[in-house]
Amino acid sequence: MADLISSRSNKLDAVPPSYCIPLHERPVDPVPIAKDIPIVDLGKAKGEERSVVVQQLLKACEEYGFFQVINHGVAEDLMDEAVEVYKDFFSLPVEEKAHYAKEAANNTARGAATLYSSSAKHYDSEDHRYWRDVLEHSCNHDGEDKLNWPDNPPRYREVIGTYSDELRKLSKIILGLVSEGLGLETGYFDKELGQRMLVNHYPACPNPTLTLGIGGHCDVNLITIIQQEVYGLQILNDEKWIGVEPLPHAFVVNSGLPLMVISNGKLTSAAHRVVTNTTRARTSIGTFICPEDVVEPAKSLFGPDNPPLFKSFKWSAEFVPHYLSKKSVYHAALEPFKIDA
Ligand code: OGA
Ligand code: NI
């Protein structure tokens, strides 16, 4: 049974040594809540102000690699229900959760869920552990994956089925705006892209200065859409950590490393991390949109005066294994895929 932190944290009054992260990584300095991470009103993208929205979103991806969206079209009730479903899931008895734990999940069926407690960096080192549990599964568009999703809480498949469909639509709207802002050919992202639910649960922690919910990293996928209620997410901007304010019923969106490549370096992918707190468990519902298999700078973004900065590579066969194995810091995961100037 994976050693889930959600199954033991309420019995702990000190952080076990295996969860104490190295000194240089500890979140000891105060971090301000950022007031200037752009908040994009997607409702306006339907009207005369569309070009303003496109420019705002693009600037956010250039300067921060992060923005929040409001008026995004996903019903607030559905967002609330999803939170309840995941809170119920993480409160299930240990024996019930064991069913989904990684060791038990030799289940390679499409959509099969895995539940794991994360350890250092990209999950598979035992050096030290982060203060989070993760439930992860795919959710592809034909609905077949759903047959292998958790069925406890009993409304899981119904609620998360609707949620993932709505989030797919939202991701298409966002990627359409990104594509327009970059000037890519029409329909650049209009493909069936991979979609995964990756839900993080960070229990309250007796000493947040010794731990991290998740260490600093850039995302391996194309874009990530996060629903958060409780503070904890911080991003690295101009070499300083800044906090992302939870706004009720907004989504936080960030660009992953493949979007840096596709945009030929125009857009950034910001490192981010999650801190814990002593009083409230934090559950963040992540929708991870994955790129097509081949990732390369978009052809319309380079030319004789503006050479491509990255080689073309296969995302699942080349990039993901490299990202996972090398434990590269932030943008360094892209090093082997750069074209030397
Ligand atoms: C992630 C991540 C942020 C959060 O899962 O990659 O960065 O707010 N999550 O939990
Ligand atoms: Ni992330």
Side-chain angles (χ1 to χ4, degrees):
M1 164 74 195
D3 190 9
L4 296 174
I5 191 66
S6 59
S7 300
R8 48 191 293 225
S9 56
N10 58 356
K11 301 177 205 91
L12 295 171
D13 47 23
V15 174
S18 56
Y19 287 88
C20 293
I21 55 172
L23 279 174
H24 70 272
E25 238 195 305
R26 290 186 192 169
V28 282
D29 296 329
V31 169
I33 299 272
K35 288 288 168 220
D36 45 4
I37 295 174
I39 299 167
V40 180
D41 182 344
L42 285 186
K44 293 189 176 155
K46 294 189 196 117
E48 284 168 7
E49 288 179 79
R50 184 172 175 90
S51 60
V52 178
V53 173
V54 167
Q55 287 318 314
Q56 194 191 8
L57 198 144
L58 209 73
K59 195 157 172 279
C61 291
E62 286 171 9
E63 289 179 6
Y64 291 93
F66 265 83
F67 54 94
Q68 306 217 44
V69 291
I70 56 171
N71 285 328
H72 40 63
V74 181
E76 295 187 353
D77 285 357
L78 179 63
M79 296 177 75
D80 294 343
E81 269 184 285
V83 172
E84 289 311 312
V85 163
Y86 283 116
K87 284 187 180 162
D88 288 355
F89 179 85
F90 283 103
S91 317
L92 288 171
V94 185
E95 312 75 57
E96 182 65 33
K97 282 188 286 193
H99 180 61
Y100 302 104
K102 206 165 192 177
E103 288 89 325
N106 288 329
N107 189 349
T108 52
R110 272 188 45 186
T114 53
L115 174 64
Y116 48 92
S117 168
S118 70
S119 43
K121 278 282 174 201
H122 300 121
Y123 326 139
D124 54 0
S125 150
E126 292 300 323
D127 297 350
H128 60 262
R129 309 178 79 88
Y130 291 128
W131 198 265
R132 74 164 183 165
D133 291 337
V134 187
L135 176 71
E136 184 178 353
H137 62 69
S138 62
C139 23
N140 284 341
H141 63 285
D142 57 14
E144 207 177 293
D145 291 17
K146 209 197 275 193
L147 305 173
N148 294 308
W149 291 355
D151 52 7
N152 200 356
R155 63 197 192 288
Y156 187 97
R157 293 180 188 175
E158 189 196 326
V159 173
I160 303 307
T162 311
Y163 184 89
S164 60
D165 288 347
E166 289 296 300
L167 269 283
R168 178 177 296 273
K169 287 185 212 153
L170 176 60
S171 71
K172 283 183 191 286
I173 293 171
I174 293 169
L175 285 172
L177 294 166
V178 170
S179 165
E180 220 171 295
L182 286 171
L184 305 184
E185 56 265 32
T186 317
Y188 188 89
F189 293 114
D190 275 358
K191 303 146 187 150
E192 281 312 332
L193 301 175
Q195 180 177 348
R196 300 186 73 75
M197 294 302 310
L198 196 151
V199 182
N200 296 292
H201 181 75
Y202 311 93
C205 172
N207 189 342
T209 61
L210 300 177
T211 55
L212 277 177
I214 179 171
H217 67 283
C218 293
D219 285 352
V220 69
N221 52 297
L222 189 60
I223 58 161
T224 306
I225 308 180
I226 298 271
Q227 182 182 334
Q228 60 162 359
E229 280 193 310
V230 176
Y231 175 68
L233 177 61
Q234 301 180 340
I235 70 177
L236 197 57
N237 182 252
D238 269 347
E239 296 177 24
K240 292 192 195 69
W241 291 104
I242 52 176
V244 183
E245 188 174 12
L247 301 175
H249 298 112
F251 285 102
V252 179
V253 184
N254 68 284
S255 34
L257 294 166
L259 197 56
M260 255 181 107
V261 173
I262 292 169
S263 68
N264 203 27
K266 188 166 163 63
L267 307 185
T268 194
S269 173
H272 49 286
R273 69 180 184 184
V274 173
V275 294
T276 59
N277 74 77
T278 51
T279 52
R280 281 187 78 185
R282 177 171 186 271
T283 302
S284 66
I285 309 179
T287 296
F288 283 61
I289 303 295
C290 302
E292 277 197 296
D293 206 31
V294 173
V295 173
E296 59 191 6
K299 301 214 166 34
S300 53
L301 296 186
F302 60 87
D305 301 331
N306 183 20
L309 301 179
F310 302 94
K311 301 174 203 164
S312 157
F313 55 83
K314 285 187 185 291
W315 183 72
S316 45
E318 294 176 286
F319 185 62
V320 176
H322 171 74
Y323 173 96
L324 293 174
S325 71
K326 290 293 182 216
K327 309 194 186 314
S328 315
V329 176
Y330 309 155
H331 296 167
L334 289 172
E335 278 311 312
F337 307 99
K338 278 190 179 156
I339 297 176
D340 297 329

